Amino acid sequence: MKQQRGHKARLYLTSAQTLAAEDQGHAARAMWNLVHDWWTMLPKDKRNLAAADKAIRQGRKDLPWLGVLPAQAAQAVLKTYFRAWVNCWEGRAEAPNYKGRFRSRMAIDIPQGRDLQIVRLNRRWGRMWAPKIGHVLFRWTKDLPVGKRADKESRVTGARLVKEADGWHVVFRIQREVPEPAEHTGPTVGIDRGITKPLALSDGSFREHGPWLSKGEAERLRRLEKAKERKRRTRRKGEKNSRRLTRTYDQIAQLRATAKRRAVDWQHKTTTGIAVTFSRIGVEDLAITNMVKSARGTVANPGTNVRQKAGLNRAIAGEAWGRTVTMLEYKAAQRGGIVVKVPAPDTSRRCSACGFITPGSRETQARFACKADGCGHEANADSNASCNIDHAAGSAVSGRGDLGDTRSAKRQPPTRPHAA
C-alpha cells in the first residue's frame, strides 16, 4: 500500500534568502486573503476553480508584489483554499477565513518534488532548490528517497517551507510503497490521560515526563513575560511596537517553541513504544475543546474559580491530549493495531474489579477504594480508570456490549485484558 508521511528539517538560509522567503510568505498570505475576497463576493454559480485560476494569473500580472510568489506556489494556495471549503462542506472543519499577519504562520508550497533537486552533501547536510530563493542547506537527519533510491514507489512528492519561532523549516512530503501490516498479536491496554500522571496504562505502569523547560529557562521566560507587560504599558493605543518589544516577543516565542519541541519529542517516543507493544489501545473520547473553555462568564453572570480553571486549562493544553491520540492512531495502524475511543463518563468512578459505581469510592484525586460490599478493591485512581477504558474497548471490538450502554449503566462486568 502507499504510505504518505512528512519529514521536517531545519533550513539554514542566508540573509538574502531569508528576506526572499519572508517576501514569498507574505505574498502567499495576501494571495489567500485575495482569493477569499474574490470567492465570497461572487455568486455561487460563478465560483469554480477555472475562474479562480484566471483571477490569480491576472492578479500576479497587475500586482508586482504578488509576482515574488512562484506560479506553482500560487496555484497551491488556491488548491489549499478549495480543499478547506470541501472540508467545511463535509463537516470536518469550519469555513475558511482571512489570515492575519500576526495570527498565521508563513508557509510556501513547492508542489512538485522534481523541482526540489535534493542532494546529500555529507552525513549531516543536504541541499535543495527553492524557487526564487535558490539552493539552500538543510540538516540531513533522515534518509530521503532521492537519487538512486527514488522510484515510482518511494519518492519525495513535494515540500512546504514554514517559518517558526526558531527560523525556517522544510517539510518534505514522502510517498513510500510499504507492505500491508500483519495483525498485531500483542496484549491490549487502556490509557487514561491526566495532568499529574500524563499517561496511566491499565497494566499498572505510567508514562511521565518532567518540566519542558529547565529552571533557568522557566525563570528567563518569567522575566521576559514581565518585561513584555512593562513595555506594553508604555505603548500608546494604535502605536507601532518598538524594536525592544518586538525582540521580547521573539524571545518568548523561541522559548515556547523549545518547550513544544521537547513535548512533541516525548510524545513521539512514548506513543511509538505503546504502538509497538500493544495490539488494541483504548482511550477516552474526550471533548477537549469544551474542557478548556474559560470559566470567566459574563458581566451579568460572572464565573467562579476563574483563575483555578485558567490554570487547569493551561495544564490540559500543555499535555496536548489530542496530539497524543493522533500519533497513536497512525502508529498503531502501521503495525497492525487499532485505537478504540470509548465514552468518557464514569470511567473514573467505576470499580474495575467488581464493575459497580459506589459513592465515595474516589477517596482522593489519586486514590480509588471501592466501597461496594464484598469488594474492597484499592488502586491508583488513574490506573483504575485505564482498566475500565480497556474493558470498554474490548466490549466495543468483540461485540459483547454497546459503547452507548456505558454512559448510563450502573454496573459493567469486568473483562480480562486479552490479545486482539
Side-chain angles (χ1 to χ4, degrees):
M1 65 177 184
K2 289 185 179 180
Q3 183 187 82
Q4 300 280 351
R5 288 292 178 266
H7 172 62
K8 189 175 182 180
R10 176 74 181 272
L11 285 177
Y12 290 83
L13 308 177
T14 65
S15 299
Q17 289 175 338
T18 301
L19 292 175
E22 290 182 354
D23 288 342
Q24 290 191 22
H26 287 305
R29 179 185 57 83
M31 180 70 73
W32 173 284
N33 292 338
L34 291 173
V35 170
H36 183 68
D37 259 337
W38 179 89
W39 187 275
T40 53
M41 286 191 300
L42 281 183
K44 291 185 178 181
D45 57 338
K46 295 185 178 180
R47 299 175 185 173
N48 56 72
L49 285 176
D53 178 65
K54 184 178 180 181
I56 282 179
R57 293 174 184 271
Q58 187 62 39
R60 294 182 75 249
K61 292 179 180 179
D62 296 341
L63 303 174
W65 52 273
L66 278 182
V68 301
L69 187 67
Q72 290 188 340
Q75 299 297 321
V77 171
L78 173 60
K79 291 180 180 178
T80 305
Y81 180 79
F82 184 74
R83 183 73 252 177
W85 273 114
V86 172
N87 292 337
C88 173
W89 296 331
E90 295 178 356
R92 294 194 298 269
E94 295 182 356
N97 207 334
Y98 293 100
K99 288 189 176 182
R101 182 183 179 92
F102 301 105
R103 297 192 306 272
S104 59
R105 183 174 62 171
M106 286 190 187
I108 309 163
D109 264 308
I110 306 176
Q112 298 295 334
R114 61 175 180 269
D115 296 337
L116 296 172
Q117 303 176 19
I118 301 173
V119 177
R120 184 170 188 175
L121 302 179
N122 52 44
R123 186 169 64 90
R124 295 188 177 185
W125 294 98
R127 186 185 68 193
M128 58 167 282
W129 172 263
K132 295 194 175 184
I133 296 177
H135 285 107
V136 295
L137 298 177
F138 66 91
R139 292 287 291 187
W140 192 283
T141 56
K142 182 178 181 179
D143 286 337
L144 301 173
V146 297
K148 295 181 179 180
R149 296 187 178 185
D151 51 35
K152 291 184 179 180
E153 286 74 26
S154 299
R155 58 195 177 93
V156 178
T157 59
R160 170 175 285 193
L161 309 184
V162 294
K163 186 183 180 183
E164 298 188 353
D166 58 338
W168 284 87
H169 295 74
V170 57
V171 182
F172 296 107
R173 293 187 288 269
I174 304 172
Q175 176 181 293
R176 298 182 188 274
E177 191 76 23
V178 297
E180 288 281 351
E183 184 179 359
H184 202 305
T185 57
T188 67
V189 72
I191 299 178
D192 181 65
R193 292 163 285 173
I195 303 299
T196 306
K197 300 289 186 182
L199 297 179
L201 276 60
S202 57
D203 61 1
S205 63
F206 300 95
R207 302 294 187 270
E208 302 179 73
H209 59 76
W212 303 128
L213 295 176
S214 66
K215 289 185 178 180
E217 291 169 333
E219 176 63 19
R220 182 165 179 261
L221 179 60
R222 186 187 70 84
R223 291 177 180 272
L224 287 171
E225 292 282 4
K226 290 182 67 176
K228 178 194 72 173
E229 293 302 324
R230 185 172 62 251
K231 293 170 184 175
R232 285 181 61 184
R233 284 197 298 268
T234 62
R235 185 175 62 91
R236 297 185 184 131
K237 187 176 181 180
E239 184 181 359
K240 186 179 179 181
N241 290 343
S242 65
R243 292 186 179 181
R244 288 188 299 171
L245 179 56
T246 302
R247 176 176 168 79
T248 303
Y249 279 136
D250 292 341
Q251 290 173 330
I252 292 173
Q254 289 173 7
L255 279 173
R256 295 194 182 280
T258 298
K260 181 179 178 180
R261 287 196 303 273
R262 292 171 183 171
V264 172
D265 178 70
W266 178 84
Q267 286 180 311
H268 271 297
K269 293 176 180 177
T270 303
T271 54
T272 298
I274 294 173
V276 168
T277 306
F278 300 102
S279 60
R280 190 199 68 224
I281 304 168
V283 296
E284 291 177 305
D285 190 9
L286 299 175
I288 301 175
T289 303
N290 296 334
M291 294 175 66
V292 297
K293 283 185 177 180
S294 174
R296 185 176 301 174
T298 61
V299 175
N301 187 20
T304 58
N305 298 326
V306 177
R307 292 179 64 86
Q308 294 87 335
K309 183 62 168 65
L312 177 62
N313 292 349
R314 284 194 297 269
I316 293 174
E319 292 299 330
W321 293 342
R323 188 167 62 209
T324 300
V325 173
T326 301
M327 291 181 181
L328 283 172
E329 285 177 334
Y330 78 80
K331 291 182 180 182
Q334 285 179 350
R335 295 161 177 83
I338 184 174
V339 173
V340 181
K341 295 183 180 180
V342 303
D346 295 334
T347 54
S348 60
R349 299 172 56 224
R350 190 187 305 278
C351 177
S352 60
C354 68
F356 281 102
I357 299 175
T358 308
S361 295
R362 187 74 180 266
E363 291 184 338
T364 63
Q365 186 67 23
R367 195 67 186 166
F368 183 92
C370 184
K371 304 298 182 182
D373 295 338
C375 181
H377 173 68
E378 295 186 6
N380 180 278
D382 295 332
S383 298
N384 177 77
S386 62
C387 291
N388 288 325
I389 294 170
D390 188 31
H391 298 161
S395 299
V397 172
S398 63
R400 291 192 297 271
D402 182 9
L403 284 179
D405 297 340
T406 61
R407 293 183 179 273
S408 58
K410 289 297 180 184
R411 184 179 187 279
Q412 176 182 341
T415 59
R416 292 184 179 276
H418 59 280

